[in-house]
Amino acid sequence: MVRKAGFPAIVDAGARVLILGSLPGEASLAAGQYYGNPRNAFWRLMEGVLAAPLVPLAYDERLKALLSRGVGLWDVIAEAERPGSLDAAIRDPAANDLVTLIDSLPNLRVVVFNGGTAARLGGRLVGDRVATLALPSSSPAHAARSFEQKAEAWKAIADWLA
């Protein structure tokens, strides 16, 4: 089985919120973009959090918009074996160095976990270094909640950016 590797962190010293996914799915890896699957609700959810349009922007502009508002992105898993895109299929994961990154961010207020796998694996690594917030996954595979329900939960991020 082929190991899949994630992307570098998108973060700067102004980050107040760090959003951590598990590991990019097939569509994101093929696009070379965080949340590159057009069915993934991440960018739409963040539009609600930031009250700003993100979906119409080019990818680089989306990232700049997040950074300018104090939001960084990364994943809990640096690389793993996984056929397809489902978190349940992840095998032999190697973690990103979350502790070093978190310790390097002087303005960080909260680590937000995008989904249950990120929360379960990342929560162990983050420990009590900083506040954490576990949110329902933005993935199209996580259909247990409607977009509206997810959007309501994700609005909690805005409190940490105020």
Side-chain angles (χ1 to χ4, degrees), residues 1-159:
M1 187 176 306
V2 176
R3 287 189 72 79
K4 296 176 181 172
F7 306 126
I10 305 296
V11 67
D12 62 24
R16 296 186 307 269
V17 171
L18 177 61
I19 300 175
L20 298 174
S22 56
L23 179 70
E26 294 289 328
S28 294
L29 291 170
Q33 300 178 356
Y34 278 101
Y35 307 103
N37 182 340
R39 292 181 40 232
N40 191 298
F42 177 81
W43 296 108
R44 288 179 35 215
L45 291 166
M46 288 306 296
E47 282 185 333
V49 170
L50 301 177
L54 295 173
V55 173
L57 300 177
Y59 179 67
D60 288 345
E61 294 302 313
R62 289 178 184 180
L63 297 180
K64 287 178 188 173
L66 291 182
L67 290 172
S68 72
R69 301 248 176 51
V71 178
L73 295 178
W74 208 16
D75 288 306
V76 172
I77 299 170
E79 63 177 50
E81 294 177 0
R82 181 180 65 193
S85 296
L86 296 177
D87 282 357
I90 291 172
R91 299 290 178 262
D92 192 27
N96 275 316
D97 188 357
L98 300 179
V99 170
T100 298
L101 180 65
I102 288 167
D103 289 348
S104 76
L105 298 173
N107 297 306
L108 188 65
R109 296 179 182 171
V110 66
V111 169
V112 175
F113 296 112
N114 182 356
T117 299
R120 182 173 46 81
L121 298 176
R124 292 182 206 148
L125 298 170
V126 172
D128 60 0
R129 285 188 146 62
V130 64
T132 59
L133 177 63
L135 294 177
S137 175
S138 63
S139 168
H142 182 72
R145 295 188 190 193
S146 69
F147 174 80
E148 292 75 19
Q149 290 170 320
K150 290 180 185 184
E152 189 60 34
W154 277 66
K155 285 181 183 174
I157 295 172
D159 295 339

